[in-house]
Amino acid sequence: MTIVDVRTPDPKRFIPGATGDWEVVIGMEVHAQVLSNSKLFSGASTEFGKPQNSNVSLVDAAMPGMLPVINEECVKQAVRTGLGLKAQINNRSIFDRKNYFYPDLPQGYQISQFKDPIIGEGKIVISLGPDRQGQFEDIEIGIERLHLEQDAGKSMHDQHATMSYVDLNRSGVALMEIVSKPDIRSSDEAKAYMTKLRSIVRYLGTCDGNMDEGSMRADVNVSVRRPGGEFGTRCEIKNVNSIRFIGQAIEYEARRQIGILEDGGTIDQETRLFDPNKGETRSLRTKEDAHDYRYFPDPDLLPLEFDDAFVAELAEHLPELPDDKKERFVRELGLSIYDASVLVSEKAIADYFEAVAAGRDGKMAANWVINDLLGALNRIGKDIEETPVSPAQLGAIIDLIKAETISGKIAKDLFEIVLNEGGDPAEIVEARGMKQVTDTGAIEKAVDEIIVANPDQVAKVKAKPTLAGWFVGQVMKSTGGKANPQAVQALVKAKLGIEEE
């Protein structure tokens, strides 16, 4: 891999040090567990949460004479991901043995891909923002490669006072290792990159992206340099399993390296771990280079080959991806870039919004989903998949507003009732007498009463017509928010002799 610097140094991303500005350079290796029912080279189940060592075949346990057999669905998932990353699909790739010893690696080697991966160069576009002017900055991050490999097992050191246990349920599970180019220049960019990559694989259905379960995790390579200078010596922060932790690890590691260099020291290439409790990285081992693993083609596996028709068939059935969906929401529904970005951030949110917006005003639907629904879910600690308010229920609330059956204020109250108690919105409005008052006679009576009771305010409005809003508020309050706001406003202006603008 020849490292090419494609980014122009940007002062707003520099890190100030005691001796001048520094620039952080970041590359990421993301391990994404492939969504498939069985493992990469065996028929054992991949179901998460099963008892230890219950999802293990003789192949996974490396029993003598056991031979790997490629799982075609895992190959398809890798190609789908490559297409989603706008990457080069390699019709011929080779599986290699990556040799190292660890107790949770029964074979003594990992079947991976080295010189000839299944997926070549691609790209991801991330968006940072909005800034104070409401603008977004789009940044292209290069993908170096995606290769398939089998996962190792899991060592457990907290089960016994003097012994460590090994769980091989994860051993042999298919991983896609997605390697970025060193194009990332801040912790915010790194978090945005991970967020976007997770969104893409979830849209594609190739990885569930559940970082808390370990099905997606990142090795983060961090180095620092003087702005625009030669690349520095990198340190790899291993197995970071949270987007928030990725940001914290980078911030700490960049500062650590800057401190060493400014004191006249040198950076050792090494593998480090991030301790989220202390918010710091610590040394794990000296970083291995490729030659340390003694890669060679796996003699039990033929080269993986497929034709263009295989790729074309997969490409034809790809779902709409986040960038395309965002562009469509802006173009067809008139949404702002910000609102569209929020709605496409997770496939489940986008699907929910589209169900609500079908046949309705897109901007109104977006406001209710983003401000009311997502705000409420954040408040009660639930995900969109757990929402107590279905798209049909939220759509019914919007329909009641459009029909002027209820006012916007009543709609907020109705939403809270549906959120907490459930039920059909139209039936709730009928049963609880929540219908909007559109009878102009009743509204006029309320307006007259407020005007008669507040002569001082009337005099103030004569001098400053913009104070008429006070009367509107009082009338709405006296009618329990049921009066039609437009009718109230019109009557207040007419009664007070304020000309319409």
Side-chain angles (χ1 to χ4, degrees):
M1 172 182 170
T2 302
I3 299 178
V4 179
D5 193 355
V6 299
R7 297 288 298 274
T8 302
D10 186 348
K12 69 175 177 284
R13 288 179 173 80
F14 293 170
I15 302 173
T19 61
D21 289 333
W22 295 85
E23 187 178 26
V24 64
V25 176
I26 303 157
M28 294 176 66
E29 301 166 17
V30 175
H31 294 83
Q33 185 174 305
V34 174
L35 272 178
S36 63
N37 293 326
S38 54
K39 297 181 180 181
L40 183 55
F41 297 114
S42 83
S45 171
T46 59
E47 185 178 351
F48 180 78
K50 300 296 284 185
Q52 286 91 347
N53 294 306
S54 59
N55 291 351
V56 185
S57 74
L58 297 176
V59 174
D60 308 319
M63 291 293 103
M66 293 298 102
L67 296 176
V69 178
I70 190 73
N71 181 338
E72 183 179 354
E73 180 58 24
C74 293
V75 174
K76 289 180 177 179
Q77 293 287 58
V79 173
R80 290 184 185 107
T81 305
L83 291 168
L85 298 175
K86 298 179 172 58
Q88 170 69 38
I89 311 299
N90 296 324
N91 294 54
R92 185 179 191 275
S93 58
I94 294 173
F95 283 101
D96 299 280
R97 289 188 181 182
K98 179 181 182 180
N99 297 273
Y100 65 96
F101 173 78
Y102 210 73
D104 58 19
L105 192 70
Q107 296 159 309
Y109 60 85
Q110 177 188 39
I111 302 178
S112 183
Q113 294 184 312
F114 180 45
K115 290 184 178 178
D116 299 287
I118 187 170
I119 306 296
E121 293 190 356
K123 64 181 179 180
I124 287 180
V125 177
I126 62 172
S127 274
L128 295 186
D131 59 18
R132 292 178 180 177
Q133 287 72 45
Q135 300 299 309
F136 288 81
E137 181 183 9
D138 287 345
I139 301 162
E140 185 176 297
I141 305 298
I143 302 294
E144 179 66 28
R145 57 187 278 147
L146 177 157
H147 63 259
L148 277 170
E149 63 184 21
Q150 56 180 180
D151 206 350
K154 182 181 181 182
S155 297
M156 296 179 293
H157 308 295
D158 57 354
Q159 308 291 308
H160 192 277
T162 60
M163 294 187 293
S164 291
Y165 292 165
V166 174
D167 177 12
L168 294 180
N169 277 354
R170 206 170 65 186
S171 176
V173 168
L175 292 179
M176 298 178 288
E177 181 168 340
I178 304 165
V179 182
S180 85
K181 295 186 178 182
D183 294 347
I184 302 168
R185 294 292 180 270
S186 72
S187 59
D188 285 340
E189 288 186 17
K191 291 189 293 183
Y193 170 83
M194 191 68 183
T195 301
K196 184 65 172 286
L197 182 57
R198 184 175 64 171
S199 176
I200 289 171
V201 296
R202 282 178 165 173
Y203 268 78
L204 290 166
T206 58
C207 174
D208 62 25
N210 294 335
M211 299 184 74
D212 55 336
E213 294 179 1
S215 58
M216 197 170 190
R217 51 196 190 270
D219 298 341
V220 187
N221 290 284
V222 179
S223 65
V224 297
R225 65 178 180 181
R226 293 298 185 184
E230 294 293 319
F231 284 113
T233 301
R234 74 184 190 279
C235 292
E236 180 184 45
I237 309 167
K238 199 76 175 171
N239 287 332
V240 189
N241 64 352
S242 149
I243 291 174
R244 181 164 57 92
F245 292 165
I246 286 172
Q248 292 175 355
I250 291 168
E251 292 287 340
Y252 175 86
E253 182 61 19
R255 287 287 178 190
R256 184 189 75 85
Q257 293 185 22
I258 290 169
I260 291 172
L261 293 172
E262 290 194 324
D263 286 342
T266 58
I267 304 300
D268 295 324
Q269 183 174 321
E270 61 181 350
T271 298
R272 301 179 69 84
L273 289 178
F274 177 66
D275 184 339
N277 295 317
K278 295 182 178 180
E280 62 186 33
T281 65
R282 65 173 185 270
S283 182
L284 178 64
R285 61 177 181 266
T286 301
K287 173 64 180 171
E288 296 89 349
D289 287 312
H291 62 262
D292 294 317
Y293 292 118
R294 304 187 316 283
Y295 282 98
F296 63 85
D298 192 301
D300 294 331
L301 288 162
L302 291 170
L304 174 62
E305 296 181 342
F306 46 76
D307 57 20
D308 291 339
F310 177 81
V311 178
E313 172 69 15
L314 295 172
E316 187 179 344
H317 296 95
L318 286 185
E320 185 180 36
L321 292 173
D323 287 347
D324 298 325
K325 196 178 287 288
K326 180 172 75 171
E327 191 274 332
R328 178 169 62 82
F329 285 175
V330 172
R331 183 184 71 252
E332 295 182 2
L333 302 179
L335 303 189
S336 69
I337 293 175
Y338 175 80
D339 284 353
S341 298
V342 172
L343 293 169
V344 305
S345 61
E346 293 285 350
K347 185 177 185 297
I349 296 174
D351 290 345
Y352 185 103
F353 164 72
E354 293 206 80
V356 174
R360 301 185 177 94
D361 178 82
K363 289 183 179 180
M364 190 173 186
N367 286 336
W368 273 93
V369 171
I370 294 170
N371 299 324
D372 296 273
L373 179 77
L374 296 183
L377 292 177
N378 183 59
R379 187 174 75 240
I380 63 177
K382 289 184 179 293
D383 295 325
I384 189 75
E385 292 89 349
E386 307 168 292
T387 174
V389 182
S390 71
Q393 288 172 314
L394 184 55
I397 293 173
I398 294 172
D399 291 341
L400 290 167
I401 299 170
K402 294 295 284 185
E404 297 189 352
T405 304
I406 59 175
S407 66
K409 182 181 183 305
I410 295 173
K412 303 286 186 184
D413 298 334
L414 176 60
F415 176 84
E416 289 297 323
I417 293 170
V418 174
L419 178 73
N420 294 305
E421 303 173 24
D424 179 82
E427 292 178 2
I428 293 170
V429 167
E430 193 67 42
R432 303 197 185 190
M434 299 173 74
K435 282 188 175 180
Q436 182 172 237
V437 177
T438 56
D439 177 4
T440 54
I443 296 173
E444 185 173 6
K445 182 172 179 292
V447 171
D448 287 340
E449 289 174 353
I450 297 296
I451 288 175
V452 169
N454 295 278
D456 291 344
Q457 285 295 125
V458 172
K460 290 179 182 178
V461 170
K462 296 292 185 184
K464 192 174 182 181
T466 54
L467 296 176
W470 182 87
F471 284 93
V472 174
Q474 292 300 307
V475 173
M476 294 301 295
K477 186 177 179 181
S478 72
T479 59
K482 294 179 181 178
N484 182 298
Q486 290 77 24
V488 172
Q489 195 169 43
L491 280 167
V492 165
K493 287 184 175 181
K495 293 284 184 179
L496 296 174
I498 300 171
E499 293 184 5
E500 293 285 347
E501 294 179 1

